[in-house]
């Protein structure tokens, strides 16, 4: 299966993308994770991206488009994948369409997770994650606390809070998301690929709803 998971910051797309990846054997391609890792390693792309990420703005399209095009043009390109956080603008969608066409890969669906703004602010301000690059598990102080406070269940790494999860930055990220979403959603609706799923409720219920919607091939929103 080849999927794009679209949703506001804090809609749970990272968590759902990880589940889809583990359970369906899909490559998980999360541009937020890739960019944060580039920032951590202080690569040229990371240095360029850092001020945008910390202020809640989108990194320039060219940078992410190149990053993704490189990933798909490599020998070991992913055949079955879930995109998490890309494309995020119409220009990125156009670039990704072209990459997929060149690689003869067809998308199966674009799933948009729908979540209320105030819920997102509450979710993100309580979000903590494991900084270990092979893990990146996420937790929430109220909804999904780790077994031991402040420590990752998977590998015992101390959890960290993302700089861009502060309330003011979260609100800016939501404004940016809304500015770009309408055109993006219409782009994929026109291709008959769009599926909309409520992102409210527990993780397993959202996953089940998503799988159900993905099973309904040919029924677009
Ligand atoms: P995320 O973890 O997906 O919420 O992404 C965190 C931050 O990384 C975003 O606020 C952007 O600054 C940057 N970012 C991630 N994906 C993209 C993208 N597709 N286009 C531009 N910026 C992105």
């Amino acid at each position: 299966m080849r999927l794009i998971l679209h949703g506001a910051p804090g809609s749970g797309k990272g968590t759902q993308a990880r589940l889809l990846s583990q359970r369906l054997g899909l490559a998980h391609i999360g541009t937020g994770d890739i960019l944060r890792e580039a920032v951590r390693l202080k690569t040229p792309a990371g240095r360029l991206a850092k001020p945008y990420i910390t202020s809640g703005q989108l990194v320039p399209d060219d940078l992410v488009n190149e990053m993704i095009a490189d990933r798909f043009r490599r020998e070991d390109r992913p055949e079955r994948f879930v995109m998490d956080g890309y494309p995020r603008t119409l220009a990125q969608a156009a670039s990704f369409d072209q990459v997929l066409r060149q690689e003869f890969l067809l998308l199966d669906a674009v799933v948009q997770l729908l979540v209320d703004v105030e819920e997102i602010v509450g979710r993100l301000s309580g979000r903590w994650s494991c900084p270990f690059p092979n893990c990146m598990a996420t937790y929430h102080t109220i909804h999904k606390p780790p077994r031991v406070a402040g420590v990752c269940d998977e590998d015992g790494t101390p959890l960290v809070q993302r700089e861009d999860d502060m309330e003011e930055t979260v609100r800016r990220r939501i404004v940016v998301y809304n500015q770009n979403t309408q055109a993006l959603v219409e782009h994929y609706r026109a291709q008959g690929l769009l599926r909309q799923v409520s992102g409210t409720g527990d993780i397993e219920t959202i996953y089940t709803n998503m799988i159900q919607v993905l099973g309904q091939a040919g029924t677009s929103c």
Side-chain angles (χ1 to χ4, degrees), residues 31-32 35-36 53 57 59 64 85-86 88 92 162 173:
T31 42
L35 287 166
R36 277 186 292 280
I53 296 177
Q57 301 293 327
V59 166
V64 250
Y86 180 92
R88 252 174 157 100
Q92 291 180 18
R162 278 170 45 173
R173 288 165 65 201

